[in-house]
Structure formats: structure tokens, C-alpha cells
Amino acid sequence: MALTRQNIFSMTSQSMNFWRTMSTVTEKRNIEDHKRRLLSAKYELRRKLYKALHRDTDLPSEIREKFLCKLSQLPRNSSFTRVRNRCIFTGRPRAVYEKFRMSRIVFRSLASQGLLNGIKKASW
């Protein structure tokens, strides 16, 4: 089978449609993770300031407790530790390549089909 532009396009669209038809739960997870990223960026400076002032031993304990209280009143999802790198196709949270934003499984399948530019299987 000769690889023409139309054949490559149809193969690409078929594989992309497969990954797009994943459950809505996956999309929901990615949306929630995106919201966490936005919240963590929004509250980053406040959180760092409150943490630094709470850890400062030169300040009186009342002031340090005040900043600890303020830190605890921030939204939980505004912490960077709650942000998770997820695959943009499947929503898989583990074994995700940051550069490509996809899991190893999706990466391998797309690379073996030749759909990733500049990626080829190593052989020696």
C-alpha cells in the first residue's frame, strides 16, 4: 500500500478519533487538573509569603500562628502538590512524558505508526 497524503491523513484521523472517544471521566480529570494549575498560579505568591512568614523564627509566635491560619484558609487546590501531569489523550496520571504531554502507551502507539515528527524507533 503506497503512502499517499490522503492515506496518511486517514490513518492519523482514525488514531486521533480513537483517543478522542475516551470516556468523559478522562476529560473531567484533565479539566480538574487544569483548574488546579490555574488556582496554584493565582495563589502562588500568597502561599509562599505565608509559608515564609510562618517559618520565620524571629517573629513572635502569635504572628506566626496568624499566618498559619491564613495559609490554611487558602483553597486546597491552590497547592502545587495537587497538580498532576496527565496524558492529554487518555488522562493517565502515570508515566507521562512532560515534553510530549502524553503517556508512554500513547507515545509508543503514535510513534510506531509514524505520527510523531522526528521520532523513530532506535535500532543498533
Side-chain angles (χ1 to χ4, degrees), residues 56-92:
D56 189 7
T57 56
D58 296 335
L59 293 174
S61 61
E62 300 88 30
I63 295 177
R64 291 174 60 199
E65 288 175 10
K66 177 182 158 190
F67 285 113
L68 179 63
C69 183
K70 284 187 175 185
L71 182 65
S72 67
Q73 289 173 353
L74 292 177
R76 284 188 179 179
N77 285 338
S78 67
S79 175
F80 272 112
T81 57
R82 298 191 85 148
V83 173
R84 191 75 195 236
N85 288 333
R86 290 188 176 272
C87 175
I88 57 174
F89 296 108
T90 61
R92 190 172 200 270

PDB file of all heavy atoms in Angstrom, residues 56-92:
ATOM      1  N   ASP A  56       9.475  31.795  59.815  1.00  0.00           N
ATOM      2  CA  ASP A  56      10.449  32.743  60.350  1.00  0.00           C
ATOM      3  C   ASP A  56      10.440  32.675  61.883  1.00  0.00           C
ATOM      4  O   ASP A  56       9.464  33.062  62.536  1.00  0.00           O
ATOM      5  CB  ASP A  56      10.112  34.159  59.878  1.00  0.00           C
ATOM      6  CG  ASP A  56      11.215  35.153  60.219  1.00  0.00           C
ATOM      7  OD1 ASP A  56      12.276  34.715  60.703  1.00  0.00           O
ATOM      8  OD2 ASP A  56      11.004  36.354  59.986  1.00  0.00           O
ATOM      9  N   THR A  57      11.524  32.214  62.467  1.00  0.00           N
ATOM     10  CA  THR A  57      11.587  32.045  63.932  1.00  0.00           C
ATOM     11  C   THR A  57      11.829  33.355  64.659  1.00  0.00           C
ATOM     12  O   THR A  57      11.680  33.416  65.881  1.00  0.00           O
ATOM     13  CB  THR A  57      12.695  31.047  64.302  1.00  0.00           C
ATOM     14  OG1 THR A  57      13.931  31.497  63.743  1.00  0.00           O
ATOM     15  CG2 THR A  57      12.360  29.662  63.790  1.00  0.00           C
ATOM     16  N   ASP A  58      12.207  34.411  63.934  1.00  0.00           N
ATOM     17  CA  ASP A  58      12.433  35.703  64.579  1.00  0.00           C
ATOM     18  C   ASP A  58      11.128  36.409  64.933  1.00  0.00           C
ATOM     19  O   ASP A  58      11.116  37.297  65.786  1.00  0.00           O
ATOM     20  CB  ASP A  58      13.265  36.619  63.667  1.00  0.00           C
ATOM     21  CG  ASP A  58      14.661  36.064  63.422  1.00  0.00           C
ATOM     22  OD1 ASP A  58      15.130  35.294  64.286  1.00  0.00           O
ATOM     23  OD2 ASP A  58      15.260  36.391  62.387  1.00  0.00           O
ATOM     24  N   LEU A  59      10.042  36.037  64.286  1.00  0.00           N
ATOM     25  CA  LEU A  59       8.742  36.657  64.556  1.00  0.00           C
ATOM     26  C   LEU A  59       8.115  36.070  65.812  1.00  0.00           C
ATOM     27  O   LEU A  59       8.384  34.913  66.174  1.00  0.00           O
ATOM     28  CB  LEU A  59       7.795  36.445  63.376  1.00  0.00           C
ATOM     29  CG  LEU A  59       8.145  37.134  62.068  1.00  0.00           C
ATOM     30  CD1 LEU A  59       7.177  36.704  60.980  1.00  0.00           C
ATOM     31  CD2 LEU A  59       8.112  38.631  62.242  1.00  0.00           C
ATOM     32  N   PRO A  60       7.278  36.834  66.500  1.00  0.00           N
ATOM     33  CA  PRO A  60       6.563  36.293  67.667  1.00  0.00           C
ATOM     34  C   PRO A  60       5.610  35.167  67.260  1.00  0.00           C
ATOM     35  O   PRO A  60       5.135  35.108  66.119  1.00  0.00           O
ATOM     36  CB  PRO A  60       5.766  37.498  68.187  1.00  0.00           C
ATOM     37  CG  PRO A  60       6.351  38.690  67.554  1.00  0.00           C
ATOM     38  CD  PRO A  60       7.030  38.249  66.296  1.00  0.00           C
ATOM     39  N   SER A  61       5.332  34.298  68.179  1.00  0.00           N
ATOM     40  CA  SER A  61       4.519  33.120  67.873  1.00  0.00           C
ATOM     41  C   SER A  61       3.087  33.487  67.488  1.00  0.00           C
ATOM     42  O   SER A  61       2.455  32.787  66.699  1.00  0.00           O
ATOM     43  CB  SER A  61       4.511  32.154  69.053  1.00  0.00           C
ATOM     44  OG  SER A  61       3.951  32.784  70.191  1.00  0.00           O
ATOM     45  N   GLU A  62       2.544  34.599  68.033  1.00  0.00           N
ATOM     46  CA  GLU A  62       1.172  34.999  67.679  1.00  0.00           C
ATOM     47  C   GLU A  62       1.078  35.349  66.190  1.00  0.00           C
ATOM     48  O   GLU A  62       0.113  34.974  65.504  1.00  0.00           O
ATOM     49  CB  GLU A  62       0.718  36.211  68.501  1.00  0.00           C
ATOM     50  CG  GLU A  62       0.712  35.988  70.001  1.00  0.00           C
ATOM     51  CD  GLU A  62       2.055  36.301  70.642  1.00  0.00           C
ATOM     52  OE1 GLU A  62       2.775  37.177  70.130  1.00  0.00           O
ATOM     53  OE2 GLU A  62       2.385  35.643  71.637  1.00  0.00           O
ATOM     54  N   ILE A  63       2.074  36.073  65.709  1.00  0.00           N
ATOM     55  CA  ILE A  63       2.071  36.470  64.294  1.00  0.00           C
ATOM     56  C   ILE A  63       2.268  35.243  63.407  1.00  0.00           C
ATOM     57  O   ILE A  63       1.620  35.104  62.360  1.00  0.00           O
ATOM     58  CB  ILE A  63       3.153  37.534  64.034  1.00  0.00           C
ATOM     59  CG1 ILE A  63       2.796  38.811  64.798  1.00  0.00           C
ATOM     60  CG2 ILE A  63       3.290  37.824  62.549  1.00  0.00           C
ATOM     61  CD1 ILE A  63       3.826  39.906  64.690  1.00  0.00           C
ATOM     62  N   ARG A  64       3.138  34.356  63.827  1.00  0.00           N
ATOM     63  CA  ARG A  64       3.371  33.136  63.049  1.00  0.00           C
ATOM     64  C   ARG A  64       2.105  32.287  62.974  1.00  0.00           C
ATOM     65  O   ARG A  64       1.770  31.742  61.924  1.00  0.00           O
ATOM     66  CB  ARG A  64       4.517  32.339  63.661  1.00  0.00           C
ATOM     67  CG  ARG A  64       5.852  33.042  63.497  1.00  0.00           C
ATOM     68  CD  ARG A  64       6.971  32.356  64.215  1.00  0.00           C
ATOM     69  NE  ARG A  64       7.146  30.997  63.732  1.00  0.00           N
ATOM     70  CZ  ARG A  64       7.785  30.054  64.384  1.00  0.00           C
ATOM     71  NH1 ARG A  64       8.343  30.312  65.549  1.00  0.00           N
ATOM     72  NH2 ARG A  64       7.914  28.862  63.882  1.00  0.00           N
ATOM     73  N   GLU A  65       1.379  32.187  64.076  1.00  0.00           N
ATOM     74  CA  GLU A  65       0.119  31.444  64.076  1.00  0.00           C
ATOM     75  C   GLU A  65      -0.917  32.112  63.182  1.00  0.00           C
ATOM     76  O   GLU A  65      -1.723  31.448  62.523  1.00  0.00           O
ATOM     77  CB  GLU A  65      -0.420  31.310  65.496  1.00  0.00           C
ATOM     78  CG  GLU A  65       0.368  30.358  66.358  1.00  0.00           C
ATOM     79  CD  GLU A  65      -0.122  30.337  67.797  1.00  0.00           C
ATOM     80  OE1 GLU A  65      -1.185  30.925  68.070  1.00  0.00           O
ATOM     81  OE2 GLU A  65       0.564  29.731  68.623  1.00  0.00           O
ATOM     82  N   LYS A  66      -0.907  33.444  63.155  1.00  0.00           N
ATOM     83  CA  LYS A  66      -1.833  34.192  62.306  1.00  0.00           C
ATOM     84  C   LYS A  66      -1.602  33.843  60.831  1.00  0.00           C
ATOM     85  O   LYS A  66      -2.546  33.607  60.070  1.00  0.00           O
ATOM     86  CB  LYS A  66      -1.644  35.685  62.540  1.00  0.00           C
ATOM     87  CG  LYS A  66      -2.478  36.580  61.673  1.00  0.00           C
ATOM     88  CD  LYS A  66      -2.141  38.032  61.975  1.00  0.00           C
ATOM     89  CE  LYS A  66      -2.516  38.923  60.822  1.00  0.00           C
ATOM     90  NZ  LYS A  66      -2.013  40.273  60.970  1.00  0.00           N
ATOM     91  N   PHE A  67      -0.316  33.777  60.431  1.00  0.00           N
ATOM     92  CA  PHE A  67      -0.019  33.447  59.040  1.00  0.00           C
ATOM     93  C   PHE A  67      -0.291  31.976  58.744  1.00  0.00           C
ATOM     94  O   PHE A  67      -0.654  31.625  57.617  1.00  0.00           O
ATOM     95  CB  PHE A  67       1.414  33.828  58.693  1.00  0.00           C
ATOM     96  CG  PHE A  67       1.589  35.312  58.512  1.00  0.00           C
ATOM     97  CD1 PHE A  67       2.347  36.055  59.403  1.00  0.00           C
ATOM     98  CD2 PHE A  67       0.975  35.962  57.467  1.00  0.00           C
ATOM     99  CE1 PHE A  67       2.489  37.419  59.240  1.00  0.00           C
ATOM    100  CE2 PHE A  67       1.111  37.330  57.297  1.00  0.00           C
ATOM    101  CZ  PHE A  67       1.865  38.060  58.186  1.00  0.00           C
ATOM    102  N   LEU A  68      -0.136  31.124  59.728  1.00  0.00           N
ATOM    103  CA  LEU A  68      -0.504  29.721  59.535  1.00  0.00           C
ATOM    104  C   LEU A  68      -2.007  29.595  59.304  1.00  0.00           C
ATOM    105  O   LEU A  68      -2.457  28.821  58.450  1.00  0.00           O
ATOM    106  CB  LEU A  68      -0.079  28.884  60.738  1.00  0.00           C
ATOM    107  CG  LEU A  68      -0.430  27.405  60.684  1.00  0.00           C
ATOM    108  CD1 LEU A  68       0.292  26.733  59.523  1.00  0.00           C
ATOM    109  CD2 LEU A  68      -0.106  26.735  61.992  1.00  0.00           C
ATOM    110  N   CYS A  69      -2.783  30.384  60.054  1.00  0.00           N
ATOM    111  CA  CYS A  69      -4.238  30.383  59.872  1.00  0.00           C
ATOM    112  C   CYS A  69      -4.605  30.889  58.479  1.00  0.00           C
ATOM    113  O   CYS A  69      -5.470  30.327  57.814  1.00  0.00           O
ATOM    114  CB  CYS A  69      -4.877  31.239  60.954  1.00  0.00           C
ATOM    115  SG  CYS A  69      -6.671  31.258  60.890  1.00  0.00           S
ATOM    116  N   LYS A  70      -3.933  31.948  58.031  1.00  0.00           N
ATOM    117  CA  LYS A  70      -4.199  32.471  56.690  1.00  0.00           C
ATOM    118  C   LYS A  70      -3.827  31.445  55.621  1.00  0.00           C
ATOM    119  O   LYS A  70      -4.510  31.303  54.604  1.00  0.00           O
ATOM    120  CB  LYS A  70      -3.419  33.758  56.453  1.00  0.00           C
ATOM    121  CG  LYS A  70      -4.007  34.959  57.140  1.00  0.00           C
ATOM    122  CD  LYS A  70      -3.278  36.202  56.715  1.00  0.00           C
ATOM    123  CE  LYS A  70      -3.923  37.437  57.309  1.00  0.00           C
ATOM    124  NZ  LYS A  70      -3.310  38.674  56.835  1.00  0.00           N
ATOM    125  N   LEU A  71      -2.730  30.725  55.854  1.00  0.00           N
ATOM    126  CA  LEU A  71      -2.305  29.690  54.911  1.00  0.00           C
ATOM    127  C   LEU A  71      -3.340  28.579  54.828  1.00  0.00           C
ATOM    128  O   LEU A  71      -3.649  28.071  53.748  1.00  0.00           O
ATOM    129  CB  LEU A  71      -0.945  29.131  55.328  1.00  0.00           C
ATOM    130  CG  LEU A  71      -0.316  28.080  54.439  1.00  0.00           C
ATOM    131  CD1 LEU A  71       0.019  28.681  53.082  1.00  0.00           C
ATOM    132  CD2 LEU A  71       0.923  27.519  55.088  1.00  0.00           C
ATOM    133  N   SER A  72      -3.915  28.217  55.952  1.00  0.00           N
ATOM    134  CA  SER A  72      -4.907  27.136  55.953  1.00  0.00           C
ATOM    135  C   SER A  72      -6.231  27.572  55.338  1.00  0.00           C
ATOM    136  O   SER A  72      -7.031  26.725  54.940  1.00  0.00           O
ATOM    137  CB  SER A  72      -5.131  26.630  57.372  1.00  0.00           C
ATOM    138  OG  SER A  72      -5.740  27.639  58.147  1.00  0.00           O
ATOM    139  N   GLN A  73      -6.472  28.884  55.248  1.00  0.00           N
ATOM    140  CA  GLN A  73      -7.711  29.368  54.654  1.00  0.00           C
ATOM    141  C   GLN A  73      -7.654  29.444  53.128  1.00  0.00           C
ATOM    142  O   GLN A  73      -8.677  29.638  52.481  1.00  0.00           O
ATOM    143  CB  GLN A  73      -8.068  30.742  55.218  1.00  0.00           C
ATOM    144  CG  GLN A  73      -8.522  30.677  56.660  1.00  0.00           C
ATOM    145  CD  GLN A  73      -8.713  32.046  57.268  1.00  0.00           C
ATOM    146  OE1 GLN A  73      -8.392  33.055  56.653  1.00  0.00           O
ATOM    147  NE2 GLN A  73      -9.228  32.072  58.486  1.00  0.00           N
ATOM    148  N   LEU A  74      -6.467  29.295  52.560  1.00  0.00           N
ATOM    149  CA  LEU A  74      -6.349  29.270  51.106  1.00  0.00           C
ATOM    150  C   LEU A  74      -6.991  27.989  50.571  1.00  0.00           C
ATOM    151  O   LEU A  74      -7.054  26.973  51.271  1.00  0.00           O
ATOM    152  CB  LEU A  74      -4.882  29.329  50.675  1.00  0.00           C
ATOM    153  CG  LEU A  74      -4.133  30.626  50.943  1.00  0.00           C
ATOM    154  CD1 LEU A  74      -2.680  30.482  50.523  1.00  0.00           C
ATOM    155  CD2 LEU A  74      -4.767  31.789  50.223  1.00  0.00           C
ATOM    156  N   PRO A  75      -7.469  28.005  49.334  1.00  0.00           N
ATOM    157  CA  PRO A  75      -8.066  26.781  48.766  1.00  0.00           C
ATOM    158  C   PRO A  75      -7.052  25.642  48.697  1.00  0.00           C
ATOM    159  O   PRO A  75      -5.871  25.858  48.426  1.00  0.00           O
ATOM    160  CB  PRO A  75      -8.477  27.208  47.354  1.00  0.00           C
ATOM    161  CG  PRO A  75      -8.490  28.675  47.343  1.00  0.00           C
ATOM    162  CD  PRO A  75      -7.547  29.128  48.408  1.00  0.00           C
ATOM    163  N   ARG A  76      -7.522  24.454  48.960  1.00  0.00           N
ATOM    164  CA  ARG A  76      -6.618  23.292  48.944  1.00  0.00           C
ATOM    165  C   ARG A  76      -6.034  23.057  47.562  1.00  0.00           C
ATOM    166  O   ARG A  76      -4.886  22.673  47.412  1.00  0.00           O
ATOM    167  CB  ARG A  76      -7.361  22.041  49.383  1.00  0.00           C
ATOM    168  CG  ARG A  76      -7.584  21.971  50.851  1.00  0.00           C
ATOM    169  CD  ARG A  76      -8.146  20.630  51.215  1.00  0.00           C
ATOM    170  NE  ARG A  76      -8.337  20.552  52.647  1.00  0.00           N
ATOM    171  CZ  ARG A  76      -8.834  19.511  53.260  1.00  0.00           C
ATOM    172  NH1 ARG A  76      -9.201  18.461  52.563  1.00  0.00           N
ATOM    173  NH2 ARG A  76      -8.969  19.496  54.555  1.00  0.00           N
ATOM    174  N   ASN A  77      -6.837  23.261  46.540  1.00  0.00           N
ATOM    175  CA  ASN A  77      -6.376  23.007  45.177  1.00  0.00           C
ATOM    176  C   ASN A  77      -5.406  24.062  44.680  1.00  0.00           C
ATOM    177  O   ASN A  77      -4.928  23.981  43.555  1.00  0.00           O
ATOM    178  CB  ASN A  77      -7.554  22.899  44.216  1.00  0.00           C
ATOM    179  CG  ASN A  77      -8.277  21.583  44.363  1.00  0.00           C
ATOM    180  OD1 ASN A  77      -7.717  20.611  44.851  1.00  0.00           O
ATOM    181  ND2 ASN A  77      -9.518  21.550  43.959  1.00  0.00           N
ATOM    182  N   SER A  78      -5.097  25.058  45.489  1.00  0.00           N
ATOM    183  CA  SER A  78      -4.133  26.072  45.079  1.00  0.00           C
ATOM    184  C   SER A  78      -2.697  25.649  45.384  1.00  0.00           C
ATOM    185  O   SER A  78      -1.766  26.382  45.093  1.00  0.00           O
ATOM    186  CB  SER A  78      -4.436  27.405  45.758  1.00  0.00           C
ATOM    187  OG  SER A  78      -4.212  27.323  47.145  1.00  0.00           O
ATOM    188  N   SER A  79      -2.530  24.471  45.944  1.00  0.00           N
ATOM    189  CA  SER A  79      -1.194  23.960  46.236  1.00  0.00           C
ATOM    190  C   SER A  79      -0.628  23.243  45.012  1.00  0.00           C
ATOM    191  O   SER A  79      -1.331  22.504  44.333  1.00  0.00           O
ATOM    192  CB  SER A  79      -1.254  22.990  47.412  1.00  0.00           C
ATOM    193  OG  SER A  79      -0.001  22.414  47.631  1.00  0.00           O
ATOM    194  N   PHE A  80       0.667  23.469  44.747  1.00  0.00           N
ATOM    195  CA  PHE A  80       1.293  22.835  43.587  1.00  0.00           C
ATOM    196  C   PHE A  80       1.419  21.323  43.750  1.00  0.00           C
ATOM    197  O   PHE A  80       1.561  20.602  42.772  1.00  0.00           O
ATOM    198  CB  PHE A  80       2.676  23.437  43.330  1.00  0.00           C
ATOM    199  CG  PHE A  80       2.641  24.646  42.447  1.00  0.00           C
ATOM    200  CD1 PHE A  80       2.950  25.886  42.954  1.00  0.00           C
ATOM    201  CD2 PHE A  80       2.290  24.557  41.110  1.00  0.00           C
ATOM    202  CE1 PHE A  80       2.904  27.009  42.150  1.00  0.00           C
ATOM    203  CE2 PHE A  80       2.245  25.664  40.299  1.00  0.00           C
ATOM    204  CZ  PHE A  80       2.559  26.897  40.822  1.00  0.00           C
ATOM    205  N   THR A  81       1.372  20.842  44.963  1.00  0.00           N
ATOM    206  CA  THR A  81       1.495  19.396  45.152  1.00  0.00           C
ATOM    207  C   THR A  81       0.268  18.646  44.667  1.00  0.00           C
ATOM    208  O   THR A  81       0.320  17.440  44.451  1.00  0.00           O
ATOM    209  CB  THR A  81       1.724  19.048  46.632  1.00  0.00           C
ATOM    210  OG1 THR A  81       0.655  19.594  47.402  1.00  0.00           O
ATOM    211  CG2 THR A  81       3.038  19.605  47.119  1.00  0.00           C
ATOM    212  N   ARG A  82      -0.841  19.345  44.475  1.00  0.00           N
ATOM    213  CA  ARG A  82      -2.055  18.701  43.987  1.00  0.00           C
ATOM    214  C   ARG A  82      -2.134  18.670  42.471  1.00  0.00           C
ATOM    215  O   ARG A  82      -3.018  18.033  41.899  1.00  0.00           O
ATOM    216  CB  ARG A  82      -3.269  19.410  44.561  1.00  0.00           C
ATOM    217  CG  ARG A  82      -3.284  19.306  46.092  1.00  0.00           C
ATOM    218  CD  ARG A  82      -4.572  19.754  46.617  1.00  0.00           C
ATOM    219  NE  ARG A  82      -5.485  18.626  46.561  1.00  0.00           N
ATOM    220  CZ  ARG A  82      -6.463  18.433  47.426  1.00  0.00           C
ATOM    221  NH1 ARG A  82      -6.653  19.268  48.391  1.00  0.00           N
ATOM    222  NH2 ARG A  82      -7.253  17.406  47.316  1.00  0.00           N
ATOM    223  N   VAL A  83      -1.216  19.351  41.810  1.00  0.00           N
ATOM    224  CA  VAL A  83      -1.192  19.358  40.351  1.00  0.00           C
ATOM    225  C   VAL A  83      -0.529  18.078  39.869  1.00  0.00           C
ATOM    226  O   VAL A  83       0.494  17.660  40.402  1.00  0.00           O
ATOM    227  CB  VAL A  83      -0.431  20.594  39.822  1.00  0.00           C
ATOM    228  CG1 VAL A  83      -0.250  20.519  38.327  1.00  0.00           C
ATOM    229  CG2 VAL A  83      -1.167  21.858  40.208  1.00  0.00           C
ATOM    230  N   ARG A  84      -1.130  17.461  38.873  1.00  0.00           N
ATOM    231  CA  ARG A  84      -0.617  16.196  38.365  1.00  0.00           C
ATOM    232  C   ARG A  84      -0.453  16.284  36.856  1.00  0.00           C
ATOM    233  O   ARG A  84      -1.351  16.771  36.166  1.00  0.00           O
ATOM    234  CB  ARG A  84      -1.639  15.102  38.708  1.00  0.00           C
ATOM    235  CG  ARG A  84      -1.198  13.690  38.507  1.00  0.00           C
ATOM    236  CD  ARG A  84      -0.259  13.293  39.602  1.00  0.00           C
ATOM    237  NE  ARG A  84       0.438  12.103  39.244  1.00  0.00           N
ATOM    238  CZ  ARG A  84       0.433  11.003  39.984  1.00  0.00           C
ATOM    239  NH1 ARG A  84      -0.232  10.961  41.092  1.00  0.00           N
ATOM    240  NH2 ARG A  84       1.118   9.954  39.590  1.00  0.00           N
ATOM    241  N   ASN A  85       0.674  15.844  36.333  1.00  0.00           N
ATOM    242  CA  ASN A  85       0.843  15.790  34.882  1.00  0.00           C
ATOM    243  C   ASN A  85       0.019  14.625  34.349  1.00  0.00           C
ATOM    244  O   ASN A  85       0.161  13.501  34.805  1.00  0.00           O
ATOM    245  CB  ASN A  85       2.310  15.595  34.511  1.00  0.00           C
ATOM    246  CG  ASN A  85       3.117  16.830  34.770  1.00  0.00           C
ATOM    247  OD1 ASN A  85       2.593  17.938  34.748  1.00  0.00           O
ATOM    248  ND2 ASN A  85       4.398  16.649  35.021  1.00  0.00           N
ATOM    249  N   ARG A  86      -0.844  14.923  33.386  1.00  0.00           N
ATOM    250  CA  ARG A  86      -1.711  13.899  32.830  1.00  0.00           C
ATOM    251  C   ARG A  86      -1.569  13.837  31.319  1.00  0.00           C
ATOM    252  O   ARG A  86      -1.230  14.822  30.683  1.00  0.00           O
ATOM    253  CB  ARG A  86      -3.173  14.195  33.163  1.00  0.00           C
ATOM    254  CG  ARG A  86      -3.499  14.004  34.617  1.00  0.00           C
ATOM    255  CD  ARG A  86      -4.983  14.124  34.863  1.00  0.00           C
ATOM    256  NE  ARG A  86      -5.286  13.840  36.242  1.00  0.00           N
ATOM    257  CZ  ARG A  86      -5.527  12.621  36.704  1.00  0.00           C
ATOM    258  NH1 ARG A  86      -5.528  11.594  35.894  1.00  0.00           N
ATOM    259  NH2 ARG A  86      -5.780  12.427  37.979  1.00  0.00           N
ATOM    260  N   CYS A  87      -1.854  12.678  30.776  1.00  0.00           N
ATOM    261  CA  CYS A  87      -1.849  12.488  29.330  1.00  0.00           C
ATOM    262  C   CYS A  87      -3.012  13.262  28.737  1.00  0.00           C
ATOM    263  O   CYS A  87      -4.141  13.187  29.241  1.00  0.00           O
ATOM    264  CB  CYS A  87      -1.971  11.005  29.011  1.00  0.00           C
ATOM    265  SG  CYS A  87      -2.135  10.644  27.251  1.00  0.00           S
ATOM    266  N   ILE A  88      -2.754  14.004  27.661  1.00  0.00           N
ATOM    267  CA  ILE A  88      -3.818  14.808  27.064  1.00  0.00           C
ATOM    268  C   ILE A  88      -4.815  13.947  26.292  1.00  0.00           C
ATOM    269  O   ILE A  88      -5.925  14.392  26.033  1.00  0.00           O
ATOM    270  CB  ILE A  88      -3.241  15.903  26.148  1.00  0.00           C
ATOM    271  CG1 ILE A  88      -2.377  15.305  25.055  1.00  0.00           C
ATOM    272  CG2 ILE A  88      -2.499  16.925  26.945  1.00  0.00           C
ATOM    273  CD1 ILE A  88      -1.901  16.298  24.032  1.00  0.00           C
ATOM    274  N   PHE A  89      -4.455  12.726  25.956  1.00  0.00           N
ATOM    275  CA  PHE A  89      -5.360  11.851  25.216  1.00  0.00           C
ATOM    276  C   PHE A  89      -6.178  10.964  26.145  1.00  0.00           C
ATOM    277  O   PHE A  89      -7.381  10.822  25.966  1.00  0.00           O
ATOM    278  CB  PHE A  89      -4.577  10.965  24.246  1.00  0.00           C
ATOM    279  CG  PHE A  89      -3.880  11.736  23.169  1.00  0.00           C
ATOM    280  CD1 PHE A  89      -2.504  11.878  23.191  1.00  0.00           C
ATOM    281  CD2 PHE A  89      -4.588  12.328  22.153  1.00  0.00           C
ATOM    282  CE1 PHE A  89      -1.855  12.592  22.208  1.00  0.00           C
ATOM    283  CE2 PHE A  89      -3.956  13.051  21.166  1.00  0.00           C
ATOM    284  CZ  PHE A  89      -2.581  13.179  21.198  1.00  0.00           C
ATOM    285  N   THR A  90      -5.522  10.334  27.124  1.00  0.00           N
ATOM    286  CA  THR A  90      -6.195   9.356  27.970  1.00  0.00           C
ATOM    287  C   THR A  90      -6.452   9.843  29.382  1.00  0.00           C
ATOM    288  O   THR A  90      -7.244   9.243  30.096  1.00  0.00           O
ATOM    289  CB  THR A  90      -5.373   8.068  28.054  1.00  0.00           C
ATOM    290  OG1 THR A  90      -4.099   8.367  28.630  1.00  0.00           O
ATOM    291  CG2 THR A  90      -5.194   7.447  26.691  1.00  0.00           C
ATOM    292  N   GLY A  91      -5.759  10.863  29.832  1.00  0.00           N
ATOM    293  CA  GLY A  91      -5.902  11.332  31.206  1.00  0.00           C
ATOM    294  C   GLY A  91      -5.103  10.509  32.194  1.00  0.00           C
ATOM    295  O   GLY A  91      -5.246  10.671  33.401  1.00  0.00           O
ATOM    296  N   ARG A  92      -4.246   9.636  31.697  1.00  0.00           N
ATOM    297  CA  ARG A  92      -3.454   8.767  32.559  1.00  0.00           C
ATOM    298  C   ARG A  92      -2.456   9.604  33.360  1.00  0.00           C
ATOM    299  O   ARG A  92      -1.716  10.398  32.792  1.00  0.00           O
ATOM    300  CB  ARG A  92      -2.705   7.760  31.690  1.00  0.00           C
ATOM    301  CG  ARG A  92      -2.034   6.657  32.443  1.00  0.00           C
ATOM    302  CD  ARG A  92      -1.490   5.623  31.453  1.00  0.00           C
ATOM    303  NE  ARG A  92      -1.265   4.359  32.106  1.00  0.00           N
ATOM    304  CZ  ARG A  92      -0.127   4.021  32.687  1.00  0.00           C
ATOM    305  NH1 ARG A  92       0.880   4.856  32.691  1.00  0.00           N
ATOM    306  NH2 ARG A  92       0.009   2.853  33.265  1.00  0.00           N
TER     307      ARG A  92
END
